[in-house]
Amino acid sequence: GTGLRAGAMCKVPLFSAREDFKKILGKMGLQARGTAGVDSASTGGTWDISNADRLGKSEVVLCNIFIEGVAKVCKWEAELEEGKDISAEVEAVMSS
């Protein structure tokens, strides 16, 4: 394994307001930390989102999990801003 952690600060106040926010991220192989690191709170819906796994996968696999997952989260946030329903997409992730 590599020990790689890829992370980005993402402002997703609508999506992160869901009670199942961290559970959805976990299903996607991601995790969220607050703006001040581990066990801290979010500030204004901003979260440090990163890959959950660190060992046992290649750098390419870990980066792709991160990139694809964060892109999906950002897409969902934009759709929520437009008033769209993302429940079917979220359910597809949760049932996979």
Side-chain angles (χ1 to χ4, degrees):
T2 164
L4 178 78
R5 178 183 181 274
M9 298 301 275
C10 302
K11 188 168 185 173
V12 289
L14 299 175
F15 183 63
S16 65
R18 295 176 58 108
E19 287 185 24
D20 58 353
F21 168 63
K22 289 188 176 183
K23 186 175 181 180
I24 295 166
L25 292 183
K27 187 70 174 171
M28 297 168 68
L30 302 174
Q31 66 181 23
R33 299 178 181 190
T35 51
V38 177
D39 297 329
S40 68
S42 165
T43 304
T46 300
W47 293 89
D48 179 0
I49 299 177
S50 63
N51 53 300
D53 291 335
R54 305 283 192 268
L55 301 172
K57 294 180 178 154
S58 73
E59 291 91 342
V60 171
V61 169
L62 292 173
C63 285
N64 284 335
I65 289 169
F66 168 72
I67 291 166
E68 292 166 12
V70 168
K72 190 172 290 193
V73 168
C74 291
K75 175 183 173 284
W76 288 341
E77 181 69 19
E79 289 176 352
L80 288 169
E81 288 173 357
E82 295 172 4
K84 294 182 180 175
D85 181 12
I86 64 167
S87 58
E89 290 184 56
V90 170
E91 184 56 40
V93 166
M94 296 304 286
S95 63
S96 64

